[in-house]
Amino acid sequence: MHTAQVNGIARRIGMYEEGLTHAGCIVDSLHPDIGLDKVLSHVNPWNFTSRMMIINPLHLFRLLNSSYDVVHVVMPANLSSMWILAAFKVLRCIKREAKPALVVSWHCNIVDYMKHFTIGPLQFIGHFFFYLLFGMLPLISDRILTPTRKSEPHLVNMWRRSNGKVCAGVCFTGVNKTEFSPDAKYSSWGQTWASSKANYLSKVGKKHLIVCVGRLSPEKSVDELIEALTDLNDCALWLVGDGPQRPELERQARDLGVPVKFLGYQSGEALHAVYTVADLFVCSSLTETFGQTVNEALASQVRVALPNVPVFAEAYGDALPTDAFWEPRSRPAMIAAIKKQLHRHSRNDPYGTPNLASLKTWDEAVNALLDEYMEAFEDRQHTFTLLAALYFPLWCVITMSIAVFFFVFSQLRSLCGGSVRLFFKKSAEDVLIKVQSFQRLPSFEVQHQTEKSSKSPEKQT
């Protein structure tokens, strides 16, 4: 059974489900769109392109009365997934049964995000609540999977057992080498993008096109890429995707006077083909768990430049030359890596072209996932520690309260058009404009004197 959060990793989970089904497994998937009889679905208050869910207690009871070999929950967005793990763990301890194996896959670098984007006491407070909320996970599950071995090392280390073994593995990401292929440039969409590229480069007077695909949000560091264009005189940039930072990035591009085209979200053949027109694909994100768009660019035989963060180094170190990586937060290093790759592109240099053999197919990724499920059976724990038993009631109250808060907050943000802060800021600005307009109006006494003067006869001189 899978419980999936529908966000950036939705395609990955969907491919897992499809692959497991083809492998002969019976997969019972629980997701935000499955229906009110099973979950209460609501928008993710921090990412309106995805949804979250709270499991219906009646459906949880039905699940506990069903038989599963593996329960695999996808974290961290859907907190009620942890209730499923906890319920099955308690039931397994009471019945002293071997099944189901309880697996967590973690698809977010929250600790790394806090390291980069919080300062001072906020970082300490963030870590405290993180471990308060998720510290129970190693006690109610058998194994954790992450997209790479470098993802969330502090979290993964919590699965270290008393014998010293870390019960952790990798949930590999595959790529469809038929859809994401250099041949996509010959499709109708490929020809459309190629024509658009030629027209755009001619219009802005540039030679090379850089493409970046992903959500436009602060953790993606797209602003640094736009800033770098001021020193990349021959380059224009296409941004494929959308997100809360788009208005800010559009203003930045206008203020700097650099050529950036915002293409919005693309899907299907349009997405497959847009990679193929890139002279270089750049992902500037500092906090990725894998970077599926990089995978798709490499499968399309497009050269890539990346920051040398641990996740990218592990996932793509065998597919890219060393100098295609730059030192994080170093703009000169970013510019040097981009220029190096573009120089090779201009010369049709075979060195540094993507190594397709290093990219896993989805069949290979699913087979590896099945192996991880077998490992989870070996990692089973049948007891709770005393500390876990004492903390468990408080943890239930905390997770339920936060799940309710997320739901209420999502409704509030939806009512405010996506941002409570901007809603009240705009409302305050509207009130201020009206007050200022009212203050500029003449007072009743002044109006009365003006009218009286206009009615009296003018004095003759």
Side-chain angles (χ1 to χ4, degrees), residues 424-439:
F424 283 105
K425 179 181 178 183
K426 186 176 183 301
S427 299
E429 288 173 345
D430 290 343
V431 171
L432 183 60
I433 290 171
K434 291 176 181 177
V435 169
Q436 290 174 338
S437 300
F438 180 77
Q439 288 176 340

Side-chain angles (χ1 to χ4, degrees), residues 41 57 79 91:
S41 174
L79 299 182
L91 189 64

Side-chain angles (χ1 to χ4, degrees), residues 335-355:
I335 293 168
I338 290 174
K339 286 184 174 180
K340 176 70 74 173
Q341 288 288 71
L342 285 173
H343 180 64
R344 290 174 180 143
H345 172 77
S346 298
R347 296 172 52 203
N348 289 320
D349 188 344
Y351 181 73
T353 54
N355 177 12

Side-chain angles (χ1 to χ4, degrees), residues 277-298:
V277 299
D279 298 321
L280 180 67
F281 179 88
V282 177
C283 178
S284 52
S285 177
L286 298 178
T287 59
E288 287 286 350
T289 54
F290 182 79
Q292 177 64 0
T293 59
V294 180
N295 222 21
E296 294 165 354
L298 293 173

Side-chain angles (χ1 to χ4, degrees), residues 318-392:
D318 295 335
L320 296 172
T322 304
D323 56 10
F325 294 90
W326 72 77
E327 185 66 26
R329 295 189 179 280
S330 171
R331 195 169 69 156
M334 174 197 284
I335 293 168
I338 290 174
K339 286 184 174 180
K340 176 70 74 173
Q341 288 288 71
L342 285 173
H343 180 64
R344 290 174 180 143
H345 172 77
S346 298
R347 296 172 52 203
N348 289 320
D349 188 344
Y351 181 73
T353 54
N355 177 12
L356 289 182
S358 66
L359 305 180
K360 290 185 179 294
T361 65
W362 279 112
D363 286 341
E364 292 170 332
V366 169
N367 288 334
L369 183 63
L370 286 170
D371 291 339
E372 292 291 352
Y373 288 165
M374 296 305 297
E375 288 288 335
F377 276 103
E378 300 298 324
D379 297 335
R380 290 190 309 275
Q381 292 187 112
H382 294 290
T383 59
F384 274 107
T385 63
L386 177 61
L387 179 62
L390 294 174
Y391 178 55
F392 186 74

